[in-house]
Amino acid sequence: MAVRPPRPPRFDVGVALAGLAGGLVLWAFGLGLRPAGSAQVLFDGRWPLLVPLAVMAGCELLRRTAPRTGLALGTLALAADLMTQGSIATIVMYTDLMYAAVLYGTPATARRLPWITGMLSIAATLVPFAVLREPEALLIGVVMGAVTFTPASTGLIVRNHRDAAESARLRAEQTALLAEMDRVQAVTAERARMARELHDMVANHLSAIAIHSTAALSLKDERTSLDALAVIRENSVQGLSEMRRLIGILRDGADDREPAATPTLDGLGALVEGARANGLDACLDAAYDSVPAPVELAAYRIVQESLTNALKHAAPGPVTVWLRRHDDGLGIRVTSAYGGRDTPRAPGSGAGLVGMRERAALLDGTFEAGPESGADGRMWVVRALLPVTDIAQGEME
């Protein structure tokens, strides 16, 4: 199937009609560039100059859709016009074709035409003067430069400004796109951070409440029920307090702050004691020096979530929390009995493991959790190594 040639824009059609109409007006009044008896005129009379005029007007229809073809045909029409009495309208339309060829043509055409027309203008200035030895011969080069080099240079300047404006527009769009991507990433990261904080602060208390409420409902002993209700009350009060702090942060718009009472490693003892109160046989074995605040918070949350998972899923047995400060990091290991339980004492969603892994990844640390077999039987082991060297240097800087 043949491809239809593109239709010329309305502006180009208007330019062609205006040029043709102007040439016809000049022709009607008998205004030409050269007298009828001139030696340069090979086709005398008024009618021959209408042919190059009509061809040049037709070339104007190609100024944007096929600029190089229009310029080539226009050059032939200009050469034919030189053999007649000539029309100023034909020359003016040719300068527009030269301008359009540089502005709308290929990049190679835009680079080459100003050089070619410049060299032709220089040659048209020097060669006639060298042959004729008359100052008037220099005007040939001036006319050549005005007809070819000037519109070509103007088209190159306009094209460069247009390309610069397009590049600036693209850069602005890219900047806006990158800003939107950064905003989305920031919102996503903040949502993930708040989800981790909400889970870590509340899940432990809610798990204890769920387990002890189940015990209070299933056991008929009054003393056991009262003890379970006391634990439920304590965990509900602490959970509400943590929730209020988190809601206060969200309302205040303090996006970059941690909760007001940021946990530290000094609170691990109280955390383990709370786990014992909730029914875990937990013990703490910790030896560490001062570590950066981000590492402290991440380590506390990892231990807290590990104890929560042990409370919900672990089989009866000891739970050990082990921390050691190494040369380049803080090592964490939490072990609990694994197996021997058909169903967990409280439902879980897996968000705790995801949150612990994210906390370690944010500090460029390592995290792993899974069952292992050892001398004490089958155990669930949580391991994490949080680097402190790079963070400490960053805080000093």
Side-chain angles (χ1 to χ4, degrees), residues 189-190 193-194 196-198 200-201 242 245-246 248-250 252 254-263 293-298 301 359 362-363:
E190 183 62 15
R193 186 179 78 89
M194 299 310 298
R196 288 194 301 269
E197 288 298 321
L198 179 62
D200 294 342
M201 289 191 298
E242 296 284 359
R245 283 200 294 267
L246 183 60
I249 292 172
L250 294 175
D252 293 340
D255 298 332
D256 299 329
R257 294 186 300 170
E258 297 291 341
T262 303
V295 177
E296 278 197 286
L297 176 61
R301 294 303 189 195
R359 288 187 182 278
L362 288 174
L363 298 176

Side-chain angles (χ1 to χ4, degrees), residues 207-219 225 228 232 344-347:
S207 299
I209 290 173
I211 293 170
H212 285 277
S213 61
T214 302
L217 292 172
S218 61
L219 299 177
S225 298
I232 290 173
R345 289 189 287 176

Side-chain angles (χ1 to χ4, degrees), residues 190-208 238-239 242-243 246 250 259 271 300-310 312-313 346-359:
E190 183 62 15
R191 291 178 62 182
R193 186 179 78 89
M194 299 310 298
R196 288 194 301 269
E197 288 298 321
L198 179 62
H199 180 275
D200 294 342
M201 289 191 298
V202 179
N204 182 48
H205 302 300
L206 293 181
S207 299
Q238 292 179 359
E242 296 284 359
M243 183 69 75
L246 183 60
L250 294 175
L271 185 63
Y300 182 93
R301 294 303 189 195
I302 290 174
V303 172
Q304 183 185 43
E305 181 57 31
S306 299
L307 292 176
T308 301
N309 288 340
K312 293 190 294 184
H313 305 287
S349 62
L353 290 176
V354 174
M356 290 189 286
R357 185 173 287 106
E358 287 179 349
R359 288 187 182 278

Side-chain angles (χ1 to χ4, degrees), residues 28-87:
F29 284 97
L31 299 177
L33 296 177
R34 290 171 290 276
S38 176
Q40 184 179 349
V41 177
L42 300 181
F43 301 98
D44 201 0
R46 298 176 57 196
W47 293 99
L49 61 84
L50 291 179
V51 176
L53 176 66
V55 173
M56 194 70 75
C59 293
E60 286 282 33
L61 298 175
L62 306 176
R63 63 189 301 274
R64 221 177 307 200
T65 57
R68 289 192 299 181
T69 301
L71 180 63
L73 295 177
T75 302
L76 296 177
L78 181 65
D81 184 73
L82 294 177
M83 301 177 188
T84 66
Q85 292 184 358
S87 173

Side-chain angles (χ1 to χ4, degrees), residues 284-299:
L284 175 63
D285 181 9
Y288 53 86
D289 297 328
S290 61
V291 296
V295 177
E296 278 197 286
L297 176 61

